Amino acid sequence: MNIQLTTELCRIFNIKYPIVLAGMAGLPNMAGLVAAVSNAGGLGTLGGAYMTPEDLRKAIHEIKQLTQKPFAVNLFSTQVSDNNTRIKEVQHELNKMRVELGISQASVESVSSSNHFEEQFAVLLEEHVPVISTAFGLLPETLIQQAKSTGIKIVAMVTTVCEAIQAEQAGCDAIVAQGSEAGGHRGTFDVSSSPMGANIGVMALVPQIVDHVQIPVIAAGGIMDGRGLVASLALGAQGVQMGTRFLTSLESGAHESYKDALLKSTEESTVITKAFSGRPARGIVNKFIEHWDASGVEPLPFPTQNTITRDIRNASSKQSNTEYMSLWAGQGTRMLTDRQKAEDIVTEILQKAHSLLS
């Protein structure tokens, strides 16, 4: 089999190597990591979904100061509104965790989650971001046309063949096929029909999507090294997306306690949970998840659950208490390295891939 490490995806994105950094929303100070991956020849991605438009623009400016290479910004593209039914019941359980952290009890009976999507997208257009990727759904047709008219490439995260076909028909330039091994939130479009997400492993998902679309497919989910890259290419993908692999890197903005928890974890450490955000996401089991599961209380839908748990997650971060943080992680954590430079991670991946292909 003639497998080439330089693929059509590299030409489309104008990058040297088919390695994409996942856009990991909610992590602070990630501009350095985004730029480092791009400078190493891959495509760095900023997780911009939770950023205010002002902070998003600031982060983009920082990335541009650190690299002249292409990069991407990931946003959540989904039409959701707050659901405050049962909020008293949910807050009652969350207050027990607030006691553990020594923070104020919540008595609020309704929340209003901020949604800056339109303003965020406007910032991406104004800043001529080379690539825009989306999770949870596709960009509206008018926005896709606006972006593509300025030369911006569009990528969508998908978890099924049907979602991939929709993404291609909408005009996306590439697709990320996210297997159930992936850490954090995956891009399942409709969680009303798949409450815990579409859980198809990457080995099964990628070739089926490749067989049904003409645009490049990027494999994601538990891919950590050159073996995963070569396997993905053999399955028909034209690149890989990695998030967890770079979380413990030197440039990662992840909390140091989070990095330590990742390094101590194994392939058995994670579960898919809706406890933190109301959408299924894979993370390391801790007291928050165990408490929530034992309570038997159903989380509120996204984004409401995400909004009302934020004070707990922020407090636990300030206290370096990983028991109440959302420790998003994929299933390949035994292959993580401790505070390794992102450039060296990329080099190591490529060297292993070349050795397997030679």
Side-chain angles (χ1 to χ4, degrees):
M1 182 182 292
N2 183 24
I3 297 176
Q4 299 295 323
L5 289 183
T6 301
T7 66
E8 175 68 7
L9 184 80
C10 297
R11 186 195 66 77
I12 291 173
F13 288 163
N14 192 26
I15 57 178
K16 194 172 182 182
Y17 306 119
I19 297 172
V20 179
L21 171 69
M24 295 173 279
L27 292 175
N29 307 317
M30 292 296 275
L33 177 57
V34 173
V37 172
S38 289
N39 282 331
L43 183 74
T45 306
L46 176 69
Y50 297 129
M51 290 183 169
T52 64
E54 296 76 20
D55 286 343
L56 180 59
R57 193 186 301 274
K58 182 179 178 181
I60 291 169
H61 287 176
E62 186 177 350
I63 293 167
K64 288 180 176 179
Q65 289 174 353
L66 296 170
T67 186
Q68 303 300 310
K69 305 286 187 177
F71 64 94
V73 174
N74 178 265
L75 299 179
F76 296 160
S77 185
T78 181
Q79 297 295 321
V80 290
S81 57
D82 280 303
N83 183 336
N84 285 291
T85 59
R86 299 189 304 103
I87 195 165
K88 285 186 178 180
E89 177 188 27
V90 171
Q91 290 286 28
H92 176 72
E93 287 302 322
L94 294 176
N95 278 336
K96 296 176 185 177
M97 302 190 206
R98 293 182 177 107
V99 169
E100 293 292 319
L101 290 166
I103 61 174
S104 300
Q105 302 281 289
S107 58
V108 63
E109 295 186 7
S110 67
V111 297
S112 179
S113 303
S114 58
N115 183 354
H116 301 294
F117 176 77
E118 291 183 4
E119 298 94 326
Q120 290 170 332
F121 187 81
V123 169
L124 304 192
L125 290 182
E126 292 163 11
E127 295 295 336
H128 303 289
V129 169
V131 181
I132 297 174
S133 67
T134 61
F136 306 163
L138 303 171
L139 289 172
E141 182 181 353
T142 54
L143 299 189
I144 290 179
Q145 291 173 351
Q146 283 182 47
K148 291 175 79 75
S149 69
T150 64
I152 295 173
K153 304 300 183 185
I154 305 295
V155 181
M157 315 292 157
V158 308
T159 57
T160 67
V161 171
C162 288
E163 290 172 353
I165 292 170
Q166 290 176 52
E168 181 179 43
Q169 291 174 344
C172 290
D173 297 285
I175 293 164
V176 176
Q178 294 178 294
S180 56
E181 304 92 334
H185 295 92
R186 279 171 299 112
T188 300
F189 291 5
D190 183 9
V191 288
S192 65
S193 59
S194 300
M196 294 306 288
N199 293 308
I200 301 138
V202 69
M203 288 285 288
L205 183 63
V206 169
Q208 294 185 84
I209 288 180
V210 168
D211 287 349
H212 284 84
V213 299
Q214 301 300 312
I215 57 178
V217 175
I218 303 163
I223 300 165
M224 304 291 280
D225 61 12
R227 292 171 294 182
L229 172 57
V230 171
S232 299
L233 296 175
L235 292 172
Q238 293 193 22
V240 293
Q241 178 173 283
M242 300 177 172
T244 305
R245 182 65 183 88
F246 288 97
L247 273 176
T248 58
S249 67
L250 186 66
E251 298 90 344
S252 167
H255 195 289
E256 293 303 311
S257 297
Y258 181 7
K259 291 183 181 183
D260 290 339
L262 287 164
L263 291 164
K264 293 173 184 173
S265 67
T266 74
E267 75 283 1
E268 297 181 90
S269 298
T270 67
V271 295
I272 297 175
T273 180
K274 294 195 292 184
F276 288 104
S277 72
R279 271 191 78 107
R282 182 178 293 282
I284 297 171
V285 175
N286 57 9
K287 286 183 180 178
F288 187 109
I289 295 173
E290 290 173 344
H291 178 115
W292 194 267
D293 289 350
S295 76
V297 176
E298 181 71 16
L300 296 173
F302 181 87
T304 314
Q305 183 80 5
N306 192 66
T307 300
I308 64 174
T309 63
R310 184 172 290 121
D311 65 322
I312 294 172
R313 291 178 281 121
N314 288 346
S316 63
S317 182
K318 288 178 182 177
Q319 297 177 23
S320 298
N321 183 348
T322 56
E323 292 298 338
Y324 296 94
M325 292 183 191
S326 50
L327 304 172
W328 303 140
Q331 290 184 311
T333 54
R334 284 188 193 267
M335 293 181 274
L336 285 169
T337 50
D338 190 358
R339 277 74 169 182
Q340 186 179 15
K341 286 184 178 179
E343 178 184 6
D344 293 340
I345 293 173
V346 172
T347 299
E348 197 174 275
I349 291 166
L350 293 167
Q351 286 176 343
K352 182 63 177 180
H354 281 298
S355 72
L356 292 171
L357 295 174
S358 61

